[in-house]
Amino acid sequence: MSLYIPLLERELTYIKGVGPRKSELLKNELGIHSIRDLLVDYPFRYEDRTQYTQVSDINEDNQVVQLKGVIKGFSLQGGGRKKRLVGKFTDGTGSIELIWFRSIKWIQDNLSINQPYTVYGRASRFRSRINIAHPEIELFSDQKKTSATFVPVYKSTERLGASGLDSKGRRKVIANILEMVSPQDLKEHLPLYLVKKLRFLPYHEALRNIHFPGSNELLREAERRLKFEEFFYFQLDIVRHYQTRKLHEQGALFPLIGSYFNRFYNEFLKFELTGAQKKVLKEIRKDLNSGIQMNRLLQGDVGSGKTIVALMSALIAIDNGYQACLVAPTEILAQQHLQSLCEETKGLGLRISLLTGSVKGKPRKELLRLLQLGEIHILVGTHALFEDPVIFHQLGLAIIDEQHRFGVAQRARLWEKGKEHRPHILVMTATPIPRTLHMTIYGDLDVSVIDELPPGRKPITTLHKTEYRRPEVVKFMQKEIEKGHQIYIVYPLIEESEKLELEDLNNGYEKLLLAFPKPKYQISVVHGRMKPADKDAEMQRFVTGTTHIMVATTVIEVGVNVPNASVMLIENSERFGLSQLHQLRGRVGRGATQSYCILMSSFRLSEDAKERLATMVRTNNGFEIAEVDLRLRGPGSIEGTQQSGLPELKIASITRDADILHTARQIAMRILSQDPDLLQPHHETLRAYLKKYVKSAKDWSRIS
Ligand code: ADP
Ligand code: MG
């Protein structure tokens, strides 16, 4: 007996009108392998074909119209590359020309004179005549069969189009499939009680209506259901992993709040913690004393004081006989962390060391030896920390700063550094992530938010200036320097061409020297091509106040702390993304003085760029900025999401369908809290579907 293959899993050649060639093309061009794949590759928009326009009513150039009428005759016009077939088309109110430059023979052979056709396309005016080039054309009687009101438009490619699989061709294929499948083939994959409770269309109806909507309402309903389903399965997967981890992943217990923590808090801390910092510390303390491994994301705008929270968490680990590490994305940042940790804890008796790529030879050996003996309390470093010979005596807490710089695989290596238990993980990020995105990408992490800045900070004033205002900008900067402040000037990093980047930087530097002549003004320059040691020396000159201006590409984007800097000038600011601009702006406003962010740009800007710059000028709130960013760029391009396992959504949109996402998450959580392994009979469908079709989040869910 042959093995029965469910209809949806069968190969495309099983469909009427799809032979080996088309099947192969769909595979190669769109990754569509089975009938199911084709069915769930939904239309990306619909054309409203309920309305017909009369030829006499066409009054705008480029108007998209649907006409009903007949072809009166064909003529071949022009020659060579201008050769075209022209059909005279009339609907009784007037006539237009249908024009084909390609497939001339096919058109002539297949279209008939004096038969009623539906024609759809963009009408353009040439001299006094109206024409539609390469219209969609269909016998009026055929059109009635396939599309009641809304005509689906499908993705296609040039190669697909050439083989009859343009949108229209794909439409026919889908129609053929839908003719072939029965409701049994399109089995429900939500439990019936949910379908009822949420008043969803049955799956097979939803699927029919997403391709060939019976009405506007049915289309909305089909969308509502399919979007829900997409979010729901994803959330089910995330929440399940999250719960499993909570149940099974033991972590070291840190019950003690000992002398390191207490002495630091009572004798060393120079300021009162903000309410938000206290709240977050409490959350972390609770995690560290729960017996379950912590995976916490600490979110806080630049300057909100995450570092002190990290340090105090590390002190808890140390009080309990464990080591901690702090990982930064760049060497400069690691050094700065080391320096500030040492300053803040001076006299506390902590042993803090630095491990980066440039620690080599004997010192490195010695450091690794001490680390393994447990003689080092806190190891600060870069990626170098992830390497194999780095063995801790007893690593209890790993803190990762600016998390979006690290790949998931690298982070995963940290897990192996623990001994009995995996270390607790605290990931810090200054990239505010919209709440909706949280639920999706960090759905399995606990999140703490520092949503309050330390007191006394003056909000940064942001200004947008075009090139011809430069003289006044220069004057302004000179004044700030006279007041004793320092200035950052940042050039965009052009990824495609390091050479160009340098050119920009060097040109800018030359001009800068004219406006800020030596020796009155001192300038540091830092760019990505410098040796770490040189970079560091230049940074140091700025940090110590020897130089007034720091000219840089985006290497300073994350972390560095120079409270005396009061101006951040960003050149070609239209080339930066919103989150980058916000990060850069966060480099100033760290002291008590009024700070400024000046966005230089050219005069002509794209709409998106205008909105980005206007957003920066309008608000300092990182979350608000993140929402705009998400709207402008879509979730896939938000920093940190690429490697985070965000699934490719076929129909739902994180930006537009936040409500549905929220409902899906709530329901997923409720179901799993009652039936964690989905073993109840009425959850059978869920379990089977998850297992089969949801690409599991397992691999990335453990660490951010
Ligand atoms: P970020 O969250 O960007 O890492 P930092 O931890 O670097 O911020 O803190 C920025 C500055 O604010 C540091 O100089 C730090 O000492 C200071 N700071 C942190 N918390 C407070 C507080 N509660 N009150 C006053 N200053 C604080
Ligand atoms: Mg920081």
Side-chain angles (χ1 to χ4, degrees):
M1 218 179 78
S2 74
L3 214 55
Y4 174 73
I5 304 174
L7 188 58
L8 293 193
E9 310 309 330
R10 292 192 193 175
E11 297 206 3
L12 300 172
T13 45
Y14 197 77
I15 310 163
K16 197 173 104 193
V18 179
R21 200 171 50 93
K22 285 186 180 172
S23 156
E24 201 59 26
L25 262 178
L26 281 166
K27 239 177 250 176
N28 296 337
E29 296 283 290
L30 299 177
I32 289 174
H33 293 263
S34 65
I35 296 185
R36 175 190 306 278
D37 291 345
L38 204 51
L39 272 181
V40 300
D41 198 51
Y42 307 123
F44 64 90
R45 66 182 175 88
Y46 302 84
E47 283 162 0
D48 182 356
R49 300 284 179 92
T50 52
Q51 308 297 326
Y52 285 90
T53 307
Q54 299 200 320
V55 171
S56 59
D57 286 344
I58 300 175
N59 48 22
E60 292 165 46
D61 200 24
N62 278 329
Q63 190 178 346
V64 174
V65 294
Q66 177 170 253
L67 309 169
K68 186 192 159 193
V70 298
I71 298 171
K72 283 292 181 196
F74 288 108
S75 61
L76 273 172
Q77 298 180 7
R81 285 178 59 218
K82 288 198 168 165
K83 186 173 152 189
R84 58 196 183 272
L85 179 70
V86 177
K88 189 172 173 190
F89 180 89
T90 174
D91 69 350
T93 72
S95 58
I96 65 166
E97 289 179 345
L98 306 179
I99 299 179
W100 290 271
F101 294 93
R102 299 181 303 269
S103 321
I104 290 179
K105 181 161 165 30
W106 192 92
I107 295 289
Q108 267 182 315
D109 290 348
N110 285 278
L111 297 186
S112 331
I113 310 283
N114 287 328
Q115 288 267 13
Y117 279 105
T118 299
V119 165
Y120 185 89
R122 198 174 284 281
S124 48
R125 241 173 236 285
F126 183 68
R127 306 241 164 84
S128 64
R129 276 174 296 185
I130 298 172
N131 66 60
I132 301 180
H134 289 273
E136 266 188 50
I137 182 160
E138 210 168 6
L139 274 176
F140 183 67
S141 50
D142 277 355
Q143 203 229 355
K144 269 201 156 155
K145 249 189 289 175
T146 49
S147 54
T149 48
F150 292 92
V151 175
V153 181
Y154 296 93
K155 230 183 352 239
S156 186
T157 64
E158 206 167 305
R159 297 180 64 196
L160 283 171
S163 300
L165 286 173
D166 55 0
S167 178
K168 190 175 155 195
R170 291 196 54 187
R171 209 146 73 212
K172 283 218 173 96
V173 172
I174 294 285
N176 287 343
I177 298 176
L178 289 176
E179 229 162 73
M180 188 163 75
V181 296
S182 65
Q184 279 75 34
D185 294 316
L186 301 174
K187 265 200 276 212
E188 198 49 68
H189 25 86
L190 288 177
L192 282 176
Y193 77 90
L194 262 188
V195 174
K196 258 198 187 147
K197 190 170 138 197
L198 296 168
R199 301 203 185 140
F200 281 147
L201 293 176
Y203 183 60
H204 66 96
E205 279 184 35
L207 211 54
R208 273 177 206 283
N209 279 290
I210 205 72
H211 289 292
F212 299 111
S215 68
N216 205 357
E217 286 72 55
L218 281 168
L219 174 58
R220 299 292 151 244
E221 280 303 303
E223 282 177 345
R224 185 170 72 89
R225 161 165 182 153
L226 295 173
K227 285 175 175 177
F228 173 86
E229 202 171 295
E230 193 163 41
F231 281 142
F232 176 67
Y233 273 104
F234 182 44
Q235 289 298 321
L236 212 53
D237 190 47
I238 293 184
V239 176
R240 197 174 48 127
H241 279 114
Y242 172 80
Q243 289 185 348
T244 312
R245 178 164 60 72
K246 286 267 160 177
L247 286 176
H248 305 300
E249 201 63 70
Q250 294 198 349
L253 266 177
F254 296 169
L256 226 63
I257 297 298
S259 64
Y260 281 118
F261 186 96
N262 283 326
R263 278 185 59 216
F264 180 80
Y265 189 69
N266 296 321
E267 298 164 30
F268 288 72
L269 196 58
K270 291 185 220 76
F271 41 73
E272 176 80 5
L273 293 179
T274 63
Q277 284 171 320
K278 284 183 187 162
K279 176 195 72 184
V280 166
L281 253 180
K282 219 182 250 169
E283 287 165 353
I284 293 171
R285 266 171 73 168
K286 203 169 152 209
D287 280 358
L288 297 180
N289 197 24
S290 70
I292 294 161
Q293 193 245 347
M294 172 173 82
N295 267 291
R296 191 169 277 282
L297 179 73
L298 175 55
Q299 250 196 294
D301 229 332
V302 270
S304 61
K306 296 182 290 296
T307 320
I308 212 76
V309 171
L311 169 60
M312 291 176 77
S313 308
L315 292 179
I316 298 176
I318 296 163
D319 273 336
N320 286 274
Y322 284 81
Q323 293 164 295
C325 69
L326 171 56
V327 189
T330 65
E331 185 134 0
I332 293 172
L333 275 173
Q335 272 168 12
Q336 209 166 44
H337 271 313
L338 177 82
Q339 200 185 341
S340 67
L341 286 185
C342 288
E343 273 165 24
E344 272 156 28
T345 63
K346 202 170 160 197
L348 192 60
L350 280 183
R351 285 183 301 272
I352 309 176
S353 297
L354 180 73
L355 179 63
T356 64
S358 39
V359 180
K360 291 189 181 118
K362 254 202 188 147
R364 186 183 185 88
K365 249 195 189 145
E366 178 61 6
L367 188 150
L368 291 179
R369 190 181 70 84
L370 291 174
L371 185 71
Q372 193 163 7
L373 285 174
E375 301 281 313
I376 291 171
H377 291 121
I378 301 178
L379 183 63
V380 181
T382 54
H383 303 67
L385 247 162
F386 294 118
E387 281 160 26
D388 266 340
V390 180
I391 302 167
F392 289 83
H393 176 64
Q394 180 96 280
L395 179 63
L397 172 67
I399 301 158
I400 306 176
D401 195 13
E402 309 291 358
Q403 127 285 348
H404 58 273
R405 294 297 158 117
F406 289 102
V408 171
Q410 281 173 322
R411 274 172 262 157
R413 304 196 63 173
L414 265 180
W415 285 79
E416 296 150 20
K417 302 280 178 196
K419 255 193 187 156
E420 252 169 89
H421 300 295
R422 295 182 159 151
H424 296 291
I425 307 262
L426 182 66
V427 178
M428 303 196 288
T429 176
T431 309
I433 296 152
R435 225 174 58 86
T436 44
L437 207 54
H438 253 178
M439 289 196 281
T440 349
I441 53 174
Y442 298 121
D444 76 318
L445 273 183
D446 295 300
V447 179
S448 291
V449 180
I450 302 185
D451 49 9
E452 182 184 354
L453 292 180
R457 297 266 170 87
K458 290 205 181 74
I460 301 162
T461 301
T462 301
L463 307 161
H464 174 204
K465 301 277 174 193
T466 47
E467 202 49 44
Y468 72 95
R469 308 284 292 274
R470 189 173 288 275
E472 85 192 48
V473 169
V474 167
K475 244 184 229 145
F476 174 76
M477 293 199 287
Q478 287 168 341
K479 246 192 216 145
E480 282 295 304
I481 293 173
E482 264 159 42
K483 284 191 209 157
H485 298 314
Q486 287 164 287
I487 287 174
Y488 291 105
I489 299 180
V490 177
Y491 287 84
L493 181 127
I494 301 162
E495 269 168 43
E496 310 91 71
S497 157
E498 279 184 65
K499 209 170 145 241
L500 258 179
E501 170 203 335
L502 273 181
E503 255 170 42
D504 268 21
L505 189 86
N506 288 336
N507 288 342
Y509 182 61
E510 299 287 304
K511 279 193 206 140
L512 210 65
L513 282 178
L514 296 178
F516 299 92
K518 283 177 182 170
K520 186 171 178 202
Y521 299 100
Q522 294 294 321
I523 304 177
S524 290
V525 182
V526 174
H527 59 79
R529 284 246 206 125
M530 288 166 84
K531 286 200 199 101
D534 297 343
K535 223 190 268 186
D536 196 49
E538 284 291 279
M539 294 286 292
Q540 282 310 322
R541 291 198 322 135
F542 189 66
V543 171
T544 54
T546 313
T547 53
H548 304 107
I549 301 176
M550 161 93 143
V551 180
T553 52
T554 44
V555 282
I556 56 154
E557 183 188 330
V558 275
V560 288
N561 196 9
V562 180
N564 189 44
S566 68
V567 179
M568 165 63 67
L569 180 116
I570 305 174
E571 298 284 1
N572 297 113
S573 57
E574 71 271 30
R575 291 209 221 144
F576 289 84
L578 259 179
S579 84
Q580 256 185 328
L581 290 173
H582 181 61
Q583 292 285 323
L584 286 170
R585 178 167 60 185
R587 295 305 107 211
V588 295
R590 309 202 134 212
T593 45
Q594 175 63 52
S595 295
Y596 302 87
C597 173
I598 302 174
L599 307 169
M600 297 301 297
S601 84
S602 57
F603 192 69
R604 291 167 66 100
L605 294 172
S606 71
E607 286 305 310
D608 272 16
K610 265 185 215 159
E611 183 162 359
R612 283 199 299 274
L613 300 185
T615 304
M616 287 295 294
V617 170
R618 186 182 72 236
T619 179
N620 278 307
N621 182 324
F623 284 92
E624 211 177 311
I625 289 169
E627 293 286 352
V628 176
D629 201 24
L630 181 61
R631 185 160 50 73
L632 289 180
R633 296 200 297 161
S637 46
I638 301 285
E639 264 181 292
T641 60
Q642 273 101 346
Q643 337 100 309
S644 65
L646 186 70
E648 196 190 310
L649 296 169
K650 286 186 177 303
I651 185 166
S653 147
I654 290 174
T655 14
R656 288 188 302 272
D657 305 316
D659 289 354
I660 301 179
L661 171 57
H662 198 70
T663 313
R665 183 168 174 82
Q666 293 298 316
I667 292 176
M669 286 186 4
R670 202 175 315 140
I671 288 178
L672 285 169
S673 71
Q674 289 157 4
D675 184 12
D677 293 315
L678 301 174
L679 293 174
Q680 291 170 12
H682 61 289
H683 288 147
E684 167 82 47
T685 343
L686 295 180
R687 197 153 42 99
Y689 189 86
L690 259 184
K691 214 163 139 189
K692 212 157 173 186
Y693 298 110
V694 178
K695 204 179 121 228
S696 181
K698 200 186 228 147
D699 303 332
W700 58 270
S701 67
R702 312 212 109 155
I703 311 174
S704 78

